Amino acid sequence: MDKPSGFPARLVVGGMVLTASCAWAQQTSPQRALMNQYCVTCHNERAKTAGLMLDKLDIDHAGEHADAWEKVVRKLRGGMMPPQGMPRPDQTSIDGLITWLQTSLDQAQAAHPEPGRAPLHRLNRTEYANAIRDLLGLKVDVSALLPADDESNGFDNIAEVLRVSPSLLEAYLAASREVSALAVGDPKNGPVSDSFRVPPDMSQDEHIEGLPLGTRGGILIHHNFPLDADYDFNVFLLRNIVGYLTGLEFPHQLEVSIDGERVFIAPVGGEEDLKLVDTNLALAGDTLDARLRTKVHVKAGPHDVAVAFLRRDSAESDEPLQPFTRELDLQNMNGIPLIDHVQVTGPFDATGSGDTPSRRRIFVCTPANSKDEVACARQILSTLARRAYRRPVTDGDMETLLSFYQAGRNQGGNFEAGIENSLRLMLASPKFLFRSEPDPARVAAGSVYHVSDLELASRLSFFLWSSIPDDELLNVAAQGKLKEPPVLDREVRRMLADPKAEALVNNFAEQWLFLRNVQSVSPDEATFPNFDDNLRQGFRRETELFFESILREDRDVMDLLTANYTFVNQRLAKHYGIPNVYGSQFRRVTLTNDARRGLLGQGSILSVTSVPTRTSPVIRGKWILENIMGTPPPPPPPNVPPLKDQAQGGKILSVRQLLEEHRKNAPCSTCHAVMDPLGFALEDFNAIGEYRTKDASGPIDASGQLADGTKIAGVVGLRAALLKHPEYFVGTLTEKMLTYALGRPLEYYDVPVVRGIVQGAARNDYRFSSIITGIVRSEPFEMKRALEGEGPGVTTAVVRRSVIEGK
């Protein structure tokens, strides 16, 4: 081996000794020769760098150690090995080695398919809420009923972390009682108060999307009213930091409307109110609170309640003399009254259960007399149980449900009380709360087999809808036709066209792209005084609409990086510098700034990968490695020193200069050398996604490089580099989506499946549907390995006993 320039002599000698002493030295394949020259020097039995001993692995039989060779492929593909500063072969040789290894691994996997296991899977709270919606036609605030779910591998539907505890079972039991009473319209529902708060940093000097035209500020409340009854509506105004009610210099009108129809209007402000505030603040607050309170009779069911101020006409503007800033708005110093929160209390003086979507869904029959009650109850419960249990109902199912019906009927004194009691059991049953796929008795332990059509239907519905199968899907599955490829393809197309497929946006995309973190983005007020909740929500909505357009229009998924359009409203367009966009509604616009194209130019991504006071090339680079390139860096070492302050010795340093200093710490340098240059490519955008050419330290330097040393200039250069290997980004998307679809972490034996899906999608221009269809047709999705030993049925039995005893 020739000694390369700058290469440590001891490593060369050590490598030569190892080469001379190991059996693989006699192997002459080009792949082994390349590994020997560039890789084995560090990754050998003596050094054990990263726990990888390539001198002990036979590259010509890669399938025998597929887990190790898949790691090698990933590192080579990401340009991370050999590391910078070490001798590297030319890119053609690296690409050839990657292709050779992948082909070998794929052939080995094809010869011995491994679909993996399907563990007992508890519904997470999003799936629970969607199942209630589709089963009962009832939307519930699941965050008030159930605790948040743990996450793993980036998603909250991973079976292994969806654990069960006694307290969680109690929460599900309590939820079943509340949901059943609300769905049936139990007349015993007593008054409760629900408060709805306006985000404290939301600007209320403009129209809010969803509220009536001609209004400003306010809040839109989606509320389910349990009975036909009277309800109190209390509106509370925001007070400034010293408790003073400001913005009362001029008269205003506050309106409450339900489903677009005004039910209440009250004056706020003017000479009398201003005088009262100045003379007796406490009395003024009580007076306004009493004035902004009303009682309204509301029909049972879901309604949209809008509370907002009427916008004054152009003769007398609402606009404050001072321009809006977040700090002034938080102090309520901008000259207009603002809503703090709205409280809805009821029901009072109920007149009946009403005609609600949930009652129409439940009561598919009405008994004419007491003799018909059991037959009607059987019809109602069998219809609901088939959907809830996601399979045909057995005699044992009906016996249990009818016994609970009879107990509720006897205790409550009427037919509907019996149905409510059975429904309560159904919603707390393990058959509803858990997705269990017990191995058939005829299947040998450890063997691989296709799941049943009914199990495939559940897998499909929870993947595409995050919910239970509908009747059409269940019918096809019950007939044993779902596994037929034409039928399966037809069902996938139908389900993607259904509005419920928005779950792929709200659940999959929001977790993959970290959109759920947008809600917690809170930039420093002094550094970014014009950031507010309107912009925060705009960021999230833009990316949701953008991802949905790629999905619904079945576009090339590479458009997620390259599309020349996005979705904005007036607030977001102003932030981006896009002219001629007015109003609060989002619309599709063509981009003229290439830097804004695709996900990497959107405020949601740029803000969640920043810190409150500045950008973070580290976080941005890590996000790109994990979510775009699919080559995540190793976790940071313990006791990493924090990044120093930007101001040092009276001089403001750029983030690049701070990180250069930070990388002088040896434990930090290796990972930062890979992450930081990718993050630098996004430096043209500040921490809230505004495009810039300079910051406080001077002109922006957005140059960077890939892990293999390829130089890139800004986000446009980064995007161009990513486009050279579209299969890498498509592979990352496919890995994330397959993880989400299976509800388990991917293993090394799943990686060939991912490559197969990507190759199939390439033949169809990487259309979104081709990736989804590839996942649905894949072995891990359609098949499973039979458990060897005791199955998950024991856990299910324990849960079932707990629920029954709890009842």
Side-chain angles (χ1 to χ4, degrees):
M1 181 186 295
D2 294 333
K3 179 180 176 181
S5 174
F7 196 57
R10 64 181 181 276
L11 291 180
V12 174
V13 173
M16 292 175 67
V17 171
L18 284 167
T19 302
S21 62
C22 295
W24 46 254
Q26 306 302 318
Q27 299 179 12
T28 58
S29 70
Q31 294 77 29
R32 170 51 72 184
L34 195 67
M35 297 293 291
N36 291 350
Q37 183 176 357
Y38 294 101
C39 306
V40 173
T41 309
C42 294
H43 299 289
N44 55 65
E45 188 175 11
R46 180 178 300 174
K48 297 180 181 178
T49 305
L52 192 61
M53 295 175 285
L54 296 180
D55 57 330
K56 306 296 290 183
L57 303 181
D58 184 357
I59 192 171
D60 295 317
H61 297 86
E64 295 177 1
H65 297 280
D67 54 340
W69 289 116
E70 288 292 0
K71 294 177 183 177
V72 171
V73 168
R74 194 173 294 269
K75 292 294 185 181
L76 290 172
R77 194 191 73 185
M80 297 179 178
M81 289 294 158
Q84 295 180 31
M86 299 291 282
R88 299 176 65 92
D90 60 80
Q91 192 59 45
T92 301
S93 298
I94 293 176
D95 291 342
L97 179 59
I98 292 173
T99 300
W100 190 90
L101 279 171
Q102 288 183 159
T103 301
S104 299
L105 292 166
D106 292 349
Q107 290 173 347
Q109 170 67 9
H112 303 284
E114 176 52 73
R117 280 289 304 159
L120 185 69
H121 199 140
R122 173 176 61 80
L123 303 192
N124 66 18
R125 67 179 189 177
T126 298
E127 293 166 338
Y128 178 88
N130 290 345
I132 295 297
R133 176 201 67 197
D134 296 336
L135 179 67
L136 302 176
L138 182 68
K139 293 184 178 180
V140 296
D141 179 9
V142 71
S143 64
L145 298 174
L146 300 171
D149 299 296
D150 291 332
E151 295 182 4
S152 175
N153 294 83
F155 298 102
D156 62 4
N157 69 334
I158 304 301
E160 64 184 23
V161 298
L162 290 172
R163 300 182 178 90
V164 181
S165 66
S167 61
L168 182 60
L169 285 178
E170 285 297 325
Y172 275 115
L173 288 169
S176 71
R177 289 192 292 269
E178 184 169 334
V179 170
S180 300
L182 190 59
V184 171
D186 190 336
K188 296 190 296 293
N189 279 318
V192 295
S193 291
D194 294 299
S195 290
F196 305 90
R197 189 168 298 276
V198 177
D201 60 346
M202 188 183 84
S203 171
Q204 296 192 50
D205 60 353
E206 57 189 46
H207 176 256
I208 306 299
E209 185 176 12
L211 291 174
L213 294 176
T215 64
R216 66 152 184 86
I219 185 173
L220 181 64
I221 301 167
H222 305 287
H223 189 58
N224 200 88
F225 294 84
L227 300 170
D228 288 353
D230 292 339
Y231 296 86
D232 282 340
F233 295 83
N234 293 357
V235 182
F236 298 90
L237 299 183
L238 182 68
R239 291 160 169 79
N240 70 5
I241 55 177
V242 295
Y244 191 81
L245 283 159
T246 60
L248 302 181
E249 291 84 354
F250 302 102
H252 302 268
Q253 296 287 321
L254 182 133
E255 175 190 81
V256 177
S257 63
I258 299 179
D259 297 332
E261 181 179 347
R262 178 185 294 172
V263 296
F264 177 70
I265 190 167
V268 175
E271 184 176 347
E272 292 299 322
D273 285 347
L274 183 62
K275 184 184 301 183
L276 185 58
V277 167
D278 289 338
T279 58
N280 192 327
L281 182 59
L283 179 60
D286 292 342
T287 301
L288 281 173
D289 288 346
R291 187 189 304 164
L292 302 182
R293 178 183 302 142
T294 186
K295 180 172 286 189
V296 180
H297 189 81
V298 183
K299 292 287 188 180
H303 296 283
D304 290 336
V305 179
V307 183
F309 288 97
L310 301 184
R311 179 175 288 281
R312 299 158 73 181
D313 61 29
S314 57
E316 196 170 11
S317 174
D318 279 314
E319 300 299 327
L321 296 177
Q322 262 183 301
F324 166 77
T325 68
R326 181 184 179 194
E327 183 178 3
L328 286 176
D329 198 42
L330 284 173
Q331 296 178 7
N332 196 10
M333 300 291 288
N334 61 357
I336 56 175
L338 308 174
I339 296 171
D340 180 65
H341 68 282
V342 177
Q343 189 175 68
V344 180
T345 305
F348 300 104
D349 302 323
T351 58
S353 298
D355 180 21
T356 65
S358 58
R359 285 181 59 83
R360 291 193 293 271
R361 186 75 60 88
I362 294 169
F363 294 106
V364 293
C365 63
T366 303
N369 51 57
S370 59
K371 295 180 180 180
D372 295 337
E373 287 187 359
V374 173
C376 182
R378 180 182 293 275
Q379 181 181 347
I380 290 172
L381 296 176
S382 62
T383 301
L384 292 174
R386 181 175 185 266
R387 292 285 310 282
Y389 300 164
R390 306 175 285 279
R391 58 167 174 74
V393 182
T394 66
D395 291 341
D397 296 330
M398 287 309 305
E399 182 180 350
T400 301
L401 290 170
L402 286 173
S403 68
F404 272 75
Y405 158 77
Q406 196 60 56
R409 171 70 175 83
N410 295 339
Q411 184 177 3
N414 59 56
F415 175 76
E416 292 191 0
I419 296 297
E420 180 183 338
N421 199 46
S422 289
L423 184 58
R424 188 180 301 174
L425 169 71
M426 191 183 301
L427 298 182
S429 169
K431 301 169 189 175
F432 173 67
L433 295 177
F434 292 86
R435 294 164 55 193
S436 176
E437 298 177 358
D439 297 325
R442 67 180 185 279
V443 173
S447 63
V448 172
Y449 68 97
H450 279 85
V451 299
S452 71
D453 281 53
L454 288 168
E455 290 167 342
L456 182 60
S458 280
R459 289 187 176 194
L460 190 58
S461 65
F462 280 100
F463 170 31
L464 300 182
W465 290 345
S466 296
S467 186
I468 56 178
D470 62 2
D471 285 327
E472 186 170 347
L473 183 60
L474 279 177
N475 290 340
V476 172
Q479 295 166 11
K481 297 180 179 180
L482 185 58
K483 64 171 66 73
E484 299 174 9
V487 176
L488 184 60
D489 289 350
R490 184 193 69 204
E491 284 301 297
V492 169
R493 289 193 299 271
R494 178 184 72 84
M495 295 174 73
L496 286 175
D498 192 284
K500 287 184 288 189
E502 190 176 3
L504 285 174
V505 180
N506 297 335
N507 292 331
F508 168 70
E510 289 205 352
Q511 294 186 82
W512 168 42
L513 300 174
F514 294 7
L515 295 188
R516 292 184 178 180
N517 296 357
V518 173
Q519 195 63 36
S520 60
V521 167
S522 186
D524 178 67
E525 298 173 21
T527 309
F528 304 103
N530 290 328
F531 185 89
D532 56 20
D533 189 66
N534 309 61
L535 190 58
R536 182 187 292 113
Q537 299 306 324
F539 283 166
R540 183 169 179 169
R541 189 60 181 148
E542 173 195 18
T543 305
E544 289 174 343
L545 291 170
F546 177 69
F547 183 91
E548 185 177 18
S549 73
I550 307 292
L551 172 66
R552 296 288 189 189
E553 297 166 22
D554 199 17
R555 300 171 69 97
D556 180 347
V557 297
M558 292 303 295
D559 284 1
L560 288 166
L561 298 180
T562 64
N564 68 340
Y565 70 89
T566 191
F567 296 82
V568 295
N569 62 359
Q570 181 177 347
R571 179 75 176 89
L572 189 55
K574 182 179 179 181
H575 186 72
Y576 286 169
I578 299 174
N580 304 319
V581 176
Y582 303 101
S584 61
Q585 293 192 341
F586 279 77
R587 76 291 314 264
R588 186 169 177 157
V589 297
T590 301
L591 297 169
T592 57
N593 182 355
D594 283 348
R596 282 284 177 207
R597 286 183 172 225
L599 293 170
L600 297 179
Q602 295 186 359
S604 59
I605 307 302
L606 297 164
S607 60
V608 298
T609 54
S610 296
V611 295
T613 57
R614 56 168 174 81
T615 61
S616 175
V618 179
I619 300 176
R620 287 178 174 180
K622 182 175 183 288
W623 187 91
I624 292 169
L625 286 171
E626 288 183 343
N627 297 287
I628 302 298
M629 301 179 70
T631 53
N639 303 318
V640 175
L643 200 62
K644 294 180 180 179
D645 190 79
Q646 283 187 274
Q648 294 184 18
K651 180 183 178 182
I652 297 179
L653 301 180
S654 68
V655 177
R656 182 184 291 268
Q657 291 170 322
L658 292 173
L659 285 170
E660 287 173 354
E661 185 72 19
H662 188 69
R663 284 198 298 274
K664 292 179 181 178
N665 294 289
C668 306
S669 59
T670 302
C671 291
H672 279 278
V674 176
M675 294 187 294
D676 298 0
L678 292 172
F680 289 144
L682 302 183
E683 276 295 282
D684 282 332
F685 299 103
N686 70 8
I688 59 172
E690 290 177 301
Y691 190 78
R692 60 183 181 171
T693 57
K694 62 180 181 179
D695 63 7
S697 66
I700 294 295
D701 179 4
S703 62
Q705 68 179 40
L706 302 183
D708 61 5
T710 302
K711 303 295 183 182
I712 52 178
V715 65
V716 176
L718 171 60
R719 188 184 301 114
L722 295 172
L723 293 179
K724 291 180 180 179
H725 291 281
E727 68 275 13
Y728 292 172
F729 171 69
V730 180
T732 302
L733 168 61
T734 303
E735 283 186 351
K736 299 291 185 180
M737 185 166 277
L738 184 59
T739 300
Y740 174 82
L742 298 177
R744 67 165 174 82
L746 297 193
E747 304 292 345
Y748 68 89
Y749 48 75
D750 296 308
V751 181
V753 174
V754 172
R755 286 194 288 265
I757 295 170
V758 173
Q759 291 164 7
R763 295 189 289 270
N764 196 27
D765 299 324
Y766 293 126
R767 293 189 179 277
F768 217 131
S769 62
S770 63
I771 295 174
I772 292 175
T773 301
I775 289 173
V776 170
R777 288 183 175 181
S778 69
E779 290 168 351
F781 196 86
E782 290 193 324
M783 305 176 72
K784 61 181 288 191
R785 181 174 292 279
L787 192 67
E788 298 184 65
E790 192 175 63
V794 174
T795 304
T796 305
V798 171
V799 175
R800 180 182 294 111
R801 286 198 300 272
S802 300
V803 172
I804 296 298
E805 290 169 4
K807 300 301 286 189

